[in-house]
Amino acid sequence: MKNHILLKPFLLASLLVFTFMLNAQPFNSISTGIIDAGRSAVAWADYDNDGDLDVLVTGLGSGDVKVGKVYRNDAGAFTDIHAAIEAFKDASVCWGDYDSDGDLDLVIAGNTDAGDQSAIYNNDGGVFTDANAGLIAVSNGAARWSDYDNDGDLDLFVTGNWMAKIYRNDDGIFTDTQQDFGFWSSSSMAWGDFDNDGDLDILLIGDSGAGAKTKIFENKNGIYSEYEQELPGLMAGTTDWIDYDNDGDVDIAYTGYNDALEAQFMMFRNDGEGVFTQLFAGIEGIALGSVDWGDYDADGDLDILMSGKGTGCGAIVSGIYRNDGDFFLKIADGFTAAIRSSVRWADYDNDGDLDFIVTGTDYDGFPFTKMYRNEVGSNLFVANTIPVEPMDIYANVNGSTVTFSWEKSNDDQTPQDALSYNFRLGITPGGNEIMASMSNPSTGFRKMQCLGNMNQDTSWSVRKLEPGTYYWSVQAVDQAYAGSGFAQEESFAITATAIGDLSPGVLSLEVYPNPASSYIVVNLQGVNNYTVRIFDSFGKHVTSIQAFGATRIDLTTLHDGLYFLSADNGSRKVMHKFLKK
C-alpha cells in the first residue's frame, strides 16, 4: 500500500485568539551562576551518580569565546567541575553510557578553535577523557546515541557537513557501517520506533544540496531503507519522535526553514498503516532554535518548550505550549527569547515537576543562560508521581538471541499507552554491563530526561549474547520522564550447546507476508513435519499448529500488533517475529 499524508482541516479560527497567559505564571527565574552561551547546546544528566541532574553547556560566550563546561548540581547549586572537554559552538551534544560501566559518557559534535570536531568523552568516575573515536567532523548537525542493531550497546548516528553515518559500537570501537543516507547539512535527526516492530527508525531533516529535505529511514534488521513517505522538507531545525496523543505510537514533530526561508513547525499524527496525518496545532514556526517536550503540568501529556528564529527580519519566537489534544495553547512567553538556542526541561530540584533552562543569543545579540523553576501548584496542578513497576516480565531464549517482554504498566497521570520503558541487562545482579538503563538500578532514578530506551515497546530482542548467566529488569517512564522502580529482577542462562544447535543457518524459516493482515505462510525449509507456536508481544502463548512444509496460518482472530513465532522440529527451534496489521 502506498503511504500517504492526510491533510486535516485547519482548526477553528476562534481557538487562535484563545492564546493567553494563565492567571499565575508557573515559572520563576532563578540565579545559577552558569555561564552565558549563544550558538549553544545544553544537556542534562546525572554524570556523577549522586541522584540529581547535572548540566553540560557549550556555545559562544561573552567576547566570542567558545565554552564547554559541565556543572555539578549540589542541591540546586551549580559548580563548574572544569571537565577536560573542548569548547564548542554550533554543537550537538548527547549523554549515553556507551561502555556500559554505569556512568554517562558524552558525544559532542561542533566547531572548536581548531575547526569542526566530533568527539566522544569517556566518563570514568567523573573524569572525562577523549576516546579518540575517529568520527567524522561536523557542526550545525546532530550526534545521537541509540542501539540500532539490538546487540545491547549504544551505537551512534552523526550527520552534518554533507554527511550522515551510523557508527556501530563493538566493545567501544566505533566502525562506520557504510550505509548510504545521502547528503545532509544544517541537519537534525531523531531515533524512534514508529512502526512498533522492536527496532529504531530514523527521522532526518536538512539541506540536501538541492533544497530542504525530510526523510524517514526504516530499520529492517539493522539495515536502513528510505520509507515511502512524502514529508515537507525543512532544514536548520529540530526533530522529535513523540507520542503527543498518548495512543501508544510515536508521532512526528520537526521545525526549520523551508526553501523560502520561512520558519515552520510541522506535526504529523501517526495513525498506523503507513498513514501520517498533518496537524495544524497552532504552534509558531521556528528555525535556528530548539524544542523540548515534557509534561510540565503533570496532566499526563507532552507540552512544548521552544525558542528560535521566526519568519522575518529580527523575529524571535519563544514560548511554552500546553497540550490540549490536537491543539496547543500558548500559556507562557515571559522568558527571555533566544535564537541559536538550546532549551531543555529537567526536574533539577527533584520536587516532582519539570523546570527548564534556556541558553542562546537575545534580541541584542548577547549570549545568555537562564534557569526557570516550576512553582508547583500555582496553576492548579499537582506534583507528578512515578509509575507502577512493570509486571509479568518474561525472557524467551533462542540460542544467542533473547526476546524480553513485559506487561504494560500504570501511572496516575500518564495514560497506560503513553508510558515508555527502560531496560537493563547485565552479567551481575542489578548489573548494566550488556545494556545500560541509564537509571539507578536500586531506586529507578532516571539519569537522563528522555523516553526509556525501549520507547513504548513492551517487547525487545537482544542478539549475539555469549554463553553465561544474565540478569535483567525493566522500568516504566512517564511523560514527565520520571521512572518507576525496576520490576523484580529475572535471570536466564545461555549455553554453548544452545548456541551451536540454534545458530542461524542451521534451520531456515520463511515467514511471509510480513507485515501480515489475514494470514501468514510459514516454511521451515528442508523439514516436512514441525510445530509452530505463536506468542504475543508479552510472551504469552497464543496458539500452536502442526505444520507440514509450507503452511498457511489464519490470523483473523488475532489483534493487530507484534507477535513471535517459533518453529520446532523436535530437536531444533528457530524464532521469527511478524507484525499483524
Side-chain angles (χ1 to χ4, degrees):
M1 180 184 70
K2 182 176 176 62
N3 300 295
H4 57 282
I5 297 172
L6 300 178
L7 294 180
K8 185 172 182 176
F10 200 83
L11 295 175
L12 295 175
S14 60
L15 288 177
L16 295 178
V17 300
F18 197 59
T19 57
F20 59 89
M21 297 290 289
L22 294 183
N23 291 332
Q25 169 62 261
F27 297 95
N28 288 334
S29 178
I30 64 169
S31 177
T32 63
I34 295 173
I35 196 167
D36 294 330
R39 306 182 74 131
S40 55
V42 172
W44 294 94
D46 183 14
Y47 84 90
D48 55 357
N49 294 332
D50 68 347
D52 54 25
L53 294 172
D54 314 296
V55 65
L56 163 75
V57 178
T58 72
L60 202 60
S62 299
D64 288 342
V65 176
K66 298 181 182 73
V67 299
K69 293 182 178 292
V70 175
Y71 289 89
R72 187 182 66 244
N73 180 0
D74 297 312
F78 291 89
T79 303
D80 180 3
I81 68 167
H82 301 288
I85 63 176
E86 288 281 347
F88 286 82
K89 70 173 183 180
D90 299 330
S92 175
V93 299
C94 193
W95 295 94
D97 187 6
Y98 81 89
D99 53 1
S100 298
D101 65 350
D103 51 28
L104 294 177
D105 312 299
L106 182 63
V107 62
I108 310 179
N111 181 260
T112 72
D113 287 339
D116 291 346
Q117 292 187 25
S118 299
I120 294 173
Y121 291 94
N122 180 265
N123 178 2
D124 185 8
V127 177
F128 291 87
T129 306
D130 190 337
N132 296 312
L135 309 175
I136 58 170
V138 303
S139 62
N140 289 309
R144 294 287 182 264
W145 300 107
S146 206
D147 180 19
Y148 86 95
D149 56 357
N150 290 61
D151 67 348
D153 54 23
L154 290 179
D155 311 295
L156 187 63
F157 192 97
V158 180
T159 178
N161 294 12
W162 309 110
M163 295 177 283
K165 293 181 179 291
I166 288 181
Y167 289 91
R168 187 182 64 248
N169 179 359
D170 297 311
D171 295 324
I173 304 300
F174 289 85
T175 303
D176 181 0
T177 62
Q178 302 295 325
Q179 296 199 46
D180 184 11
F181 294 93
F183 299 100
W184 298 85
S185 190
S186 298
S187 48
S188 176
M189 70 82 60
W191 301 95
D193 185 10
F194 82 91
D195 48 6
N196 293 112
D197 66 347
D199 51 30
L200 293 172
D201 312 298
I202 290 170
L203 174 65
L204 183 58
I205 72 166
D207 184 356
S208 67
K213 181 170 63 172
T214 301
K215 292 293 180 183
I216 298 169
F217 291 91
E218 187 178 12
N219 187 345
K220 298 179 179 179
N221 296 318
I223 304 299
Y224 284 87
S225 59
E226 190 173 310
Y227 193 61
E228 187 183 348
Q229 179 67 56
E230 296 177 1
L231 294 174
L234 295 183
M235 58 187 172
T238 65
T239 50
D240 290 290
W241 293 104
I242 43 87
D243 185 10
Y244 86 92
D245 55 357
N246 292 344
D247 66 347
D249 54 29
V250 287
D251 312 295
I252 291 173
Y254 61 106
T255 73
Y257 283 131
N258 61 19
D259 287 332
L261 295 184
E262 297 166 329
Q264 304 285 311
F265 193 108
M266 295 285 183
M267 283 189 67
F268 292 85
R269 186 179 65 240
N270 184 351
D271 290 326
E273 299 290 339
V275 176
F276 287 86
T277 302
Q278 187 169 2
L279 303 177
F280 297 94
I283 303 167
E284 297 164 281
I286 64 168
L288 300 174
S290 181
V291 173
D292 203 18
W293 295 77
D295 183 13
Y296 84 89
D297 53 0
D299 67 348
D301 54 26
L302 290 171
D303 312 297
I304 302 173
L305 169 67
M306 53 96 87
S307 186
K309 178 74 169 61
T311 300
C313 182
I316 301 180
V317 175
S318 68
I320 296 169
Y321 289 81
R322 191 182 70 221
N323 183 345
D324 287 337
D326 286 349
F327 188 82
F328 286 75
L329 181 68
K330 191 171 186 179
I331 65 99
D333 55 8
F335 64 87
T336 304
I339 61 171
R340 301 282 186 177
S341 60
S342 187
V343 296
R344 291 291 177 264
W345 296 110
D347 184 10
Y348 82 93
D349 52 1
N350 285 344
D351 67 347
D353 55 40
L354 291 178
D355 317 293
F356 71 90
I357 190 171
V358 54
T359 66
T361 303
D362 65 15
Y363 283 104
D364 297 317
F366 295 107
F368 74 93
T369 295
K370 289 192 175 181
M371 186 91 77
Y372 291 84
R373 186 176 186 273
N374 188 342
E375 301 297 337
V376 65
S378 64
N379 281 283
L380 305 181
F381 56 85
V382 297
N384 184 60
T385 58
I386 66 172
V388 176
E389 298 173 7
M391 302 292 290
D392 295 330
I393 71 173
Y394 178 76
N396 189 330
V397 180
N398 180 26
S400 63
T401 297
V402 181
T403 299
F404 304 90
S405 60
W406 50 89
E407 295 279 2
K408 288 185 178 181
S409 191
N410 291 284
D411 183 68
D412 286 342
Q413 289 85 30
T414 300
Q416 185 180 59
D417 286 343
L419 293 169
S420 64
Y421 296 92
N422 204 41
F423 173 83
R424 64 172 171 85
L425 175 64
I427 57 175
T428 60
N432 286 259
E433 297 92 349
I434 305 301
M435 190 165 190
S437 65
M438 292 172 282
S439 292
N440 185 304
S442 299
T443 66
F445 174 77
R446 296 281 288 132
K447 299 178 186 179
M448 296 174 61
Q449 301 277 270
C450 58
L451 288 174
N453 55 19
M454 300 291 96
N455 279 220
Q456 290 158 317
D457 293 320
T458 55
S459 179
W460 198 262
S461 295
V462 179
R463 308 183 183 106
K464 301 178 183 178
L465 292 175
E466 298 292 332
T469 300
Y470 294 84
Y471 301 84
W472 74 283
S473 187
V474 65
Q475 68 176 151
V477 180
D478 66 20
Q479 296 282 48
Y481 308 126
S484 73
F486 279 89
Q488 180 66 43
E489 184 175 74
E490 297 288 340
S491 64
F492 62 92
I494 290 179
T495 64
T497 301
I499 292 176
D501 287 347
L502 298 175
S503 59
V506 175
L507 292 176
S508 179
L509 176 64
E510 293 181 335
V511 177
Y512 59 90
N514 190 6
S517 55
S518 59
Y519 73 92
I520 57 171
V521 175
V522 297
N523 184 20
L524 191 60
Q525 294 183 346
V527 179
N528 291 324
N529 187 351
Y530 55 98
T531 301
V532 174
R533 296 179 178 87
I534 296 177
F535 303 85
D536 66 15
S537 61
F538 303 122
K540 292 180 179 178
H541 179 250
V542 174
T543 188
S544 295
I545 297 137
Q546 198 64 30
F548 301 90
T551 301
R552 179 175 171 136
I553 300 175
D554 180 65
L555 302 178
T556 56
T557 61
L558 300 185
H559 298 295
D560 291 353
L562 183 67
Y563 290 86
F564 297 88
L565 180 149
S566 73
D568 188 345
N569 71 345
S571 61
R572 293 185 177 90
K573 178 174 66 175
V574 290
M575 297 286 293
H576 204 291
K577 64 183 176 183
F578 69 91
L579 189 65
K580 181 181 184 296
K581 293 186 174 181

